C-alpha cells in the first residue's frame, strides 16, 4: 500500500523536486546507484567482475521527451561500451536499455527513433563482445518494446528483454519468447499498474512469477532469473533439475547494492550472477522504485534525512 502510494506520488513534479533537492538524498542514492559518470560505472564493473560476478549496466534516464536527449543517451552507451571493450569481459558484461530513454516516448515517431538509437547501442555492444537487454517499463509500453525487440533481433539475435510477471499477459509473452537462444529476464515488475492489467497482491505476483518461470525453464531459450527472493531462487533450482538445465543454461540477476551476500553465495556455488549496475545523474525514477519495493528502505531514507 505504502509502496503503491510512493510510486504514484513519485510521478508528481513537486515530489521529484523535493526528494531531488535534499542534499542528504545523495548519500542514500549511493546505496543503489554506482555513481554519475561512465568512469564510476567502469569502476563498479571492475570491482564486481573481480569477485566473479557478471554485470549489466544501465545508463539512468527514462521517458525522454526530447530527441536530442534520446540521441545523447545512445551516445553515452556507445562511450561506455568502448570503455568496456578495453576490459575484454566478453559476455560477462552487457548493457540494459530503457527504450523510453532513447526515444520511445517521442510520440508518433517514437518507435522508429528508439529503434535507430538502440541499433547504435547494439553495434557498439557487438564490437565490445557484449550483449544488450531491453528493460520493460509500464504496461503501456509492452507491445512497442516487444515490436522493437523483434526488429533488433534480426540484426542482433542475442538482444534480451525483461518480462514482468505481474502483468496478466506475461505468461503468453513467455510462451512466445521461449524459442532457441532467446534471452528473457523474468522480474516481478516495479511499476504501479491498474487491476485491469496486473495482479495487485504480492502472493498473486509470486505465483504468476512461478508460472512464467516454469514456461521459460521448460522452453528452449536462456532464462535470466531477475529476483532477490529466496523462495523463487529455490524453485528455480527445482525447475532446473526437472528440465535438465545445468548451471550454464540459465543465470540469476540482481540489482546493485541489494542482497550482495546472496550474489556471492550463488557465484560461489558456480552460478552466473549478473548484477544490474545503474549509473548517471537521472536517478530519481529508479531510486523511487527501489524505495517503494521495501518499507525498510523508506525508513532508512527518512533516518538519513534526519541525519541519523
Ligand atoms: P521482493 O520484492 O519480494 O524481494 C525479495 C527480497 O529481496 C526482499 O525480502 C529483500 O530482502 C530483497 N529486496 C528486494 N528489493 C529490495 C530493495 N529495493 N531494497 C532492499 N532489499 C530488497 N522491473 C521492471 O518492472 N522492469 C525491468 O526491466 C526490471 N529490471 C530488473 C532487472 C534486474 C536485474 C532485477 C533484479 C530487477 C529488475 N526489475 C525490473 C525490478 C523487479 O521488477 C522487482 O521490482 C525487484 O527485483 C524486487 O523484486 P524481487 O523479485 O527481488 O522480490
Amino acid at each position: 500500500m505504502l509502496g503503491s502510494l510512493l510510486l504514484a506520488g513519485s510521478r508528481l513534479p513537486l515530489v521529484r523536486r523535493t526528494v531531488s533537492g535534499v542534499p542528504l538524498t545523495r548519500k542514500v542514492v549511493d546505496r543503489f546507484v554506482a555513481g554519475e559518470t561512465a568512469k564510476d560505472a567502469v569502476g563498479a564493473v571492475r570491482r564486481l567482475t573481480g569477485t566473479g560476478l557478471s554485470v549489466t549496466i544501465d545508463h539512468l534516464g527514462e521517458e525522454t521527451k526530447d530527441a536530442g536527449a534520446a540521441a545523447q543517451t545512445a551516445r553515452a552507451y556507445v562511450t561506455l561500451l568502448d570503455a568496456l571493450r578495453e576490459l575484454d569481459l566478453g559476455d560477462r558484461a552487457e548493457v540494459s536499455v530503457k527504450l523510453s530513454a532513447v526515444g520511445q516516448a517521442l510520440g508518433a515517431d517514437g518507435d522508429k527513433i528508439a529503434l535507430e538509437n538502440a541499433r547504435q547501442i547494439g553495434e557498439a555492444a557487438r564490437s565490445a563482445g557484449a550483449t544488450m537487454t531491453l528493460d520493460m517499463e509500464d504496461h503501456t509500453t509492452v507491445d512497442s518494446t516487444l515490436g522493437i525487440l523483434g526488429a533488433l533481433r534480426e540484426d542482433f539475435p542475442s538482444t534480451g528483454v525483461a518480462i514482468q510477471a505481474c502483468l496478466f499477459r506475461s505468461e503468453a509473452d513467455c510462451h512466445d519468447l521461449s524459442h532457441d537462444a532467446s534471452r528473457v529476464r523474468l522480474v516481478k515488475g516495479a511499476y504501479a499498474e491498474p487491476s485491469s492489467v496486473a495482479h495487485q497482491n504480492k502472493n498473486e505476483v509470486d505465483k504468476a512469477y512461478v508460472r512464467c518461470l516454469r514456461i521459460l525453464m521448460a522452453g528452449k531459450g536462456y532464462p535470466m532469473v531477475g529476483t532477490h527472493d529466496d523462495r523463487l531462487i529455490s524453485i528455480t533450482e527445482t525447475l532446473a533439475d526437472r528440465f535438465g538445465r545445468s548451471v550454464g543454461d540459465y543465470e540469476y540477476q540482481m540489482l546493485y547494492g541489494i542482497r550482495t551476500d546472496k550474489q556471492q553465495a550463488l557465484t560461489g556455488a558456480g552460478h552466473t550472477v549478473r548484477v544490474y549496475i545503474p549509473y548517471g545523474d537521472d536517478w530519481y525514477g529508479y531510486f523511487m522504485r527501489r524505495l517503494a519495493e521495501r518499507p525498510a528502505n523508506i525508513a532508512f531514507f527518512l533516518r538519513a534525512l534526519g541525519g541519523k
Side-chain angles (χ1 to χ4, degrees):
M1 177 65 177
L2 184 56
S4 316
L5 278 176
L6 202 65
L7 285 177
S10 72
R11 292 201 137 158
L12 302 173
L14 176 66
V15 179
R16 176 187 269 266
R17 277 198 304 278
T18 309
V19 172
S20 309
V22 178
L24 272 167
T25 300
R26 183 70 241 178
K27 215 175 92 188
V28 189
V29 170
D30 285 346
R31 186 180 154 197
F32 301 108
V33 172
E36 297 210 341
T37 65
K39 195 166 165 235
D40 294 332
V42 171
V45 168
R46 279 184 197 279
R47 236 179 16 258
L48 295 180
T49 55
T51 67
L53 292 160
S54 296
V55 294
T56 182
I57 307 148
D58 165 42
H59 180 265
L60 288 163
E62 51 201 89
E63 292 186 43
T64 302
K65 297 289 188 323
D66 175 75
Q72 205 176 328
T73 297
R75 282 196 295 277
Y77 272 105
V78 171
T79 305
L80 175 76
L81 283 157
D82 285 347
L84 287 181
R85 188 172 40 212
E86 283 165 30
L87 299 188
D88 201 18
L89 291 167
D91 65 5
R92 288 184 65 204
E94 66 151 43
V95 288
S96 283
V97 177
K98 283 191 173 49
L99 288 176
S100 81
V102 293
Q104 189 184 38
L106 288 172
D109 287 336
D111 282 13
K112 194 166 153 273
I113 297 169
L115 175 59
E116 273 160 23
N117 283 327
R119 274 193 210 286
Q120 285 180 33
I121 300 170
E123 290 290 354
R126 178 154 56 199
S127 69
T131 47
M132 162 171 69
T133 292
L134 304 181
D135 284 342
M136 193 60 83
E137 301 175 67
D138 74 48
H139 76 278
T140 62
T141 66
V142 179
D143 282 329
S144 153
T145 300
L146 294 179
I148 293 172
L149 172 77
L152 284 170
R153 280 184 169 180
E154 286 172 20
D155 293 326
F156 311 104
S158 65
T159 306
V161 69
I163 292 290
Q164 298 150 323
C166 66
L167 298 183
F168 299 146
R169 61 174 289 165
S170 289
E171 279 175 69
D173 288 335
C174 285
H175 272 297
D176 291 348
L177 289 163
S178 276
H179 52 82
D180 256 349
S182 171
R183 297 171 63 252
V184 179
R185 172 198 295 155
L186 184 63
V187 298
K188 289 188 183 178
Y191 294 79
E193 300 288 10
S195 58
S196 52
V197 299
H199 301 287
Q200 304 293 305
N201 172 284
K202 191 174 162 19
N203 274 340
E204 290 303 320
V205 175
D206 289 356
K207 283 196 254 172
Y209 193 105
V210 175
R211 291 194 296 273
C212 289
L213 185 61
R214 195 178 188 290
I215 295 165
L216 295 176
M217 294 295 277
K220 293 186 175 155
Y222 181 73
M224 304 186 284
V225 184
T227 186
H228 314 87
D229 187 330
D230 279 330
R231 227 153 46 100
L232 294 178
I233 291 168
S234 92
I235 291 171
T236 304
E237 292 307 295
T238 305
L239 291 173
D241 276 352
R242 185 174 313 162
F243 296 114
R245 283 184 181 267
S246 55
V247 288
D249 299 332
Y250 61 101
E251 70 181 46
Y252 290 106
Q253 297 195 349
M254 297 191 192
L255 301 175
Y256 180 82
I258 298 182
R259 299 224 53 202
T260 50
D261 54 342
K262 191 72 181 181
Q263 295 172 13
Q264 286 302 337
L266 286 168
T267 306
H271 290 285
T272 296
V273 179
R274 193 176 297 278
V275 178
Y276 184 104
I277 303 179
Y279 81 99
D281 52 16
D282 194 357
W283 45 261
Y284 175 79
Y286 181 88
F287 174 66
M288 293 302 275
R289 288 192 291 279
R290 301 296 79 78
L291 285 193
E293 273 157 7
R294 208 163 170 240
N297 289 346
I298 302 170
F300 176 66
F301 178 53
L302 293 175
R303 273 201 310 278
L305 296 190
K308 287 183 213 145

